Amino acid sequence: MSNQKLNSDNNPNRVLYPSSDPELEKFNKRLKANGKRDFVVQETLNRLLKKLQVNRVVLYYFYRQWEGQVTFEALSHPQWSIYGSTGADECFNDEYAALYIAGRTRAISDVEVEPIHDCHKDFLRSIEVRANLVVPVLLDHQQLWGLLIAHHCESSRSWLPSDIELLQDAAQALAVDLAYLS
């Protein structure tokens, strides 16, 4: 027991072993940073859901060039979950990416009347979206890391300038937090 020490809560049943392995220390540091990042992202989405009063707010993360996945979500009801959805990647191309890298915000009040590509419209219908608000999450104002998206599913919705500004501000704050915690 010479290399063991008691945990800070003095619980004799839990033992900590000091580590001199730099890889293990690096892993533990990354794990802790990821936990903080996940907390910040989830709290941001929860706050947006409440303030916007929508059915769903998601973070769509690009894990490969223009291929992504919903990695976080906040929901008004579990029925609206699309967690893990890979989206309509075949619809998202360099042209759309360039628009979001340039800071595009896309506010659709009703997917049934908005002139959008059939591919995009079919995808939004498949996840029961009626109104859609999308802003980019840009690292260093140039790398498209993901999209912060609010969905209203039960009816159409006219997005207010304050809704758009709220989502834009949240995306900018997330980009700063993600850069800091990475």
Side-chain angles (χ1 to χ4, degrees):
M1 277 195 84
S2 61
N3 68 345
Q4 297 178 0
K5 65 180 184 178
L6 291 177
N7 205 3
S8 60
D9 63 3
N10 292 323
N11 181 344
N13 297 323
R14 288 194 336 196
V15 177
L16 296 177
Y17 294 91
S19 172
S20 60
D21 182 349
E23 288 301 312
L24 183 58
E25 288 177 22
K26 190 167 33 171
F27 172 77
N28 285 333
K29 191 174 185 177
R30 255 193 344 261
L31 189 63
K32 187 175 181 179
N34 287 346
K36 287 180 184 177
R37 180 204 62 211
D38 291 357
F39 178 79
V40 167
V41 171
Q42 192 60 57
E43 285 300 305
T44 299
L45 269 59
N46 291 344
R47 181 177 51 83
L48 289 168
L49 181 78
K50 186 175 182 178
K51 286 189 175 190
L52 293 171
Q53 296 183 346
V54 292
N55 298 111
R56 173 171 54 221
V57 178
V58 302
L59 182 63
Y60 188 81
Y61 164 68
F62 291 108
Y63 55 83
R64 203 172 304 140
Q65 185 166 342
W66 320 145
E67 293 180 30
Q69 182 173 22
V70 173
T71 55
F72 290 89
E73 66 180 9
L75 308 168
S76 64
H77 189 277
Q79 81 184 50
W80 303 118
S81 179
I82 58 169
Y83 182 79
S85 169
T86 56
D89 292 331
E90 67 279 359
C91 296
F92 197 91
N93 56 35
D94 289 339
E95 179 185 339
Y96 285 111
L99 292 170
Y100 284 110
I101 290 169
R104 174 192 198 179
T105 294
R106 183 72 160 127
I108 298 174
S109 59
D110 189 341
V111 300
E112 296 304 325
V113 297
E114 188 75 18
I116 57 177
H117 287 101
D118 288 341
C119 174
H120 190 202
K121 186 177 283 194
D122 291 343
F123 170 70
L124 292 173
R125 284 177 180 152
S126 77
I127 57 172
E128 302 180 68
V129 173
R130 280 296 301 273
N132 191 39
L133 178 58
V134 183
V135 299
V137 178
L138 296 169
L139 299 184
D140 297 324
H141 303 285
Q142 60 189 2
Q143 178 192 350
L144 184 57
W145 186 89
L147 300 171
L148 186 57
I149 306 167
H151 288 155
H152 200 69
C153 303
E154 297 171 308
S155 62
S156 60
R157 174 187 176 138
S158 295
W159 299 103
L160 301 173
S162 59
D163 297 335
I164 295 167
E165 186 177 335
L166 180 66
L167 207 64
Q168 289 171 330
D169 290 347
Q172 290 173 354
L174 274 177
V176 169
D177 290 339
L178 291 167
Y180 175 75
L181 293 171
S182 293

